[in-house]
Amino acid sequence: MYLLNVNTQQLEDIHEQCPYAILSHAWGAGERDYFQKIGTKSICMEPGYEKVEMCCRLAQQDGLDYVWINDCCADANTRGTRSEARISAYAWFQQAQVCYTYLGNVDGDEDPREKFSQFRDSWWFQHSWTLQELLAPKHMFFFVKDWTMIGTKADLVDIISDVTGIHKDALEHPERIPCFSIATRMSWAKGRTSTKEEDRVYTLMGLFDVNLPVAYGEGETKTFLKLQNEIMKITDDQSIFAWRSVAGASVSSESDALGILASTYECFVECGDIQKIPYDQWSEYCGEHFHPKKLANPQLDMDPSCRGLQATLPVRQRGIDLDALLACARGPAIWNGSKYITDLKKAGLICIRLQQSYRGYERAYKCRLETVTINDFQKFGLQEIHLCTSQSSPDLGSVPAYLEWLVNGLS
């Protein structure tokens, strides 16, 4: 890992963990990678290099000897280094002692709390990569155009939450981010853009603690399917299926149906209040309210011909389609010290519409996410069905036995 020495402004290849500051910013016109020019006399003339100098000055004031800045410390001309920076960025921001966030289009003479403030409209909130840069650091300071500090993340948490839709707990307590449902975390990416469409997916890796090989040219949809497949290998959160279709989604040629996986994170924009239900709570709930059938050891198996998942879910017949309940609910949750707990007597379970095709059951196109309350549970019973992923989906591979409940419910 290369760090910039704030006293010499020279790069050093650091192999041991040491305290450092980190800079978050949006690149301006003419700005580029400085890696090859660090240490040369002409570096000070480069557009935007004053950010590097100011970051070093701030770090010195905070008693730190090193900073990490993407413009300087990652060689954009080397594929391996560029890939490492994308894969490791969340961890690097998480491990930094402090993050300085520079908002180049915000003036220092305004109140960021005003309804139409420049702070609320800053382009920094619109970039894909700055999502993880906002979430990962514990300590963050915001600076405006003239490098006046206007507050910390803790000071501005109400405004940031309002602008981004991110729960205040996630902003104030980064260690709780894994406790939020997959659907909720996906919703935090709404409204953000990137130059390369695949980067809209790569920026989400850190939020789910997964890694993908960086491969540009595959497109956002294929990359996003890969991300979901990696997530399913390490989680028991069924909210990954709790999305709604959006305009432009890939649709099956034989019917108005979609695979069980979303084609873009934009399918989750309305999922900011979806809570995952822990398996022990879901198991008890299903045993109380539904009628399980005698199914022999349900397993999560890939069908190589249909590329799908065998699932046991509470379902009800709706014409030729099925309504299926997921182990997630819409509504508030309370932090109990280790996880978020939802009162299922008051919340509504997430219900998705499934449509049968020659490949099995797929998501019905243009159907909104519905919620089902306890009054309608008598219409549901557990049933084993085959769920289809997208035709272009990569293989899921093997899944650990302890995660088999993910789409199987109860036997």
Side-chain angles (χ1 to χ4, degrees), residues 15 63 87 114 116 156 165 168 208 218 232 285 304 321 392 398:
H15 297 283
I87 292 172
E114 292 292 331
F116 299 104
L156 302 169
K168 289 196 297 183
F208 300 102
E218 291 186 334
M232 285 196 294
Y285 203 69
D321 298 337
S392 60
S398 61

Side-chain angles (χ1 to χ4, degrees), residues 16 36 51 125 276:
E16 296 180 359
Q36 300 294 340
K51 298 180 192 176
F125 289 114
K276 63 181 179 182

Side-chain angles (χ1 to χ4, degrees), residues 276-286 341-344:
K276 63 181 179 182
I277 302 174
Y279 175 66
D280 54 351
Q281 187 181 9
W282 178 242
S283 176
E284 180 181 351
Y285 203 69
C286 286
I341 299 296
T342 303
D343 186 350
L344 296 183

Side-chain angles (χ1 to χ4, degrees), residues 3-10 12 14 18-21 56 59-68 97:
L3 293 174
L4 188 68
N5 187 306
V6 301
N7 300 304
T8 65
Q9 291 195 21
Q10 298 282 346
E12 297 183 16
I14 305 296
C18 68
Y20 61 91
C56 289
Q60 285 177 319
Q61 294 173 2
D62 287 333
L64 298 170
D65 294 324
Y66 295 98
V67 297
W68 189 91
Q97 300 297 110

Side-chain angles (χ1 to χ4, degrees), residues 266-284:
E266 293 175 359
C267 295
F268 292 92
V269 294
E270 298 178 355
C271 300
D273 61 345
I274 289 183
Q275 316 295 339
K276 63 181 179 182
I277 302 174
Y279 175 66
D280 54 351
Q281 187 181 9
W282 178 242
S283 176
E284 180 181 351

